[in-house]
Amino acid sequence: AMRTLTLVLVSASLLSLPLPAAAQALRSVGVVVGRLDSRQLRSRGADSRTRSAVAAGVRADVATPKSWLGVGVGLALAPRGGEHALSAPPGSEPLHGPVHADYLTFSVLPSVRVALGPVSLSAFVGPALDVYLRGDAAVELAPGFQDPTPQVVVAVAGLGVEVAGPARVVLGVEVRQEEGLGGAYRSIPERLRHRSRAVSLRLGFRPVT
């Protein structure tokens, strides 16, 4: 897929640089942990309720010749899914069952950055690729969620705030919106896709130059 190819090309370009140049190309490398709220949108029925889970990953921020422009290359575990209505006796409270779909997400996100002293504001947008890892569903829902799409392209956009701390430490907070562009399951006779919103904390380190 184009997403994987882009990731490979960026990684290969960094590895091909001499060590001093590679250090200068990297703004920071670190871990990202946050809350991911995800829903499943249906083209022929009601959307699901939200599934909330913890998402975690690693990311490298790569510099470009323009000081205001960078690229974030990331790898993360993204737990998506939702809760769908189940059949219930008349007059009883509605019941909902979970559908979980966990992905390994590769992202390459160009970002625009504005530095205000030690604080940087950024906005980013770009593609990601969800690679299906595992999933499960309530017994009543399971027959319709047995054939997940192996790879789904995702559109990502978000905002971030970052503070340069002592000893090369970088602390950041970011909010992002993630929209699945393709159907998440092949066994369902409709288009069902994921929409997610993440609020994350980032701990990074600037390389030694």
Side-chain angles (χ1 to χ4, degrees):
M2 181 61 69
R3 180 96 264 332
T4 304
L5 177 60
T6 304
L7 180 63
V8 171
L9 290 176
V10 171
S11 302
S13 64
L14 287 175
L15 291 175
S16 66
L17 292 173
L19 289 179
Q24 292 176 7
L26 285 175
R27 282 179 172 156
S28 63
V29 178
V31 296
V32 181
V33 179
R35 171 172 165 164
L36 185 69
D37 296 327
S38 180
R39 289 190 298 143
Q40 294 183 323
L41 310 184
R42 303 179 62 174
S43 60
R44 299 183 186 176
D47 298 341
S48 78
R49 289 184 173 182
T50 299
R51 176 196 181 188
S52 297
V54 175
V58 294
R59 193 177 75 214
D61 285 341
V62 183
T64 71
K66 303 293 185 180
S67 60
W68 52 268
L69 180 65
V71 179
V73 180
L75 173 65
L77 175 64
R80 308 192 195 277
E83 292 191 354
H84 292 272
L86 304 175
S87 59
S92 64
E93 289 293 326
L95 301 176
H96 289 79
V99 174
H100 292 174
D102 297 339
Y103 296 88
L104 190 64
T105 299
F106 301 88
S107 59
V108 176
L109 305 175
S111 64
V112 175
R113 181 182 304 259
V114 177
L116 304 172
V119 178
S120 295
L121 307 178
S122 62
F124 51 87
V125 61
L129 182 70
D130 272 357
V131 178
Y132 183 82
L133 294 178
R134 60 179 180 266
D136 59 74
V139 173
E140 188 174 340
L141 299 170
F145 295 87
Q146 293 180 339
D147 190 16
T149 305
Q151 297 181 355
V152 180
V153 176
V154 180
V156 180
L159 300 172
V161 179
E162 191 175 270
V163 178
R168 301 185 290 112
V169 172
V170 177
L171 299 175
V173 178
E174 66 180 36
V175 178
R176 63 169 63 193
Q177 185 79 15
E178 303 174 345
E179 294 279 344
L181 301 182
Y185 296 91
R186 297 177 295 192
S187 58
I188 300 177
E190 63 172 313
R191 186 167 181 262
L192 187 152
R193 62 187 183 88
H194 290 109
R195 171 178 291 170
S196 306
R197 178 173 296 174
V199 179
S200 304
L201 299 176
R202 180 169 181 265
L203 173 63
F205 297 90
R206 299 185 300 274
V208 177
T209 56

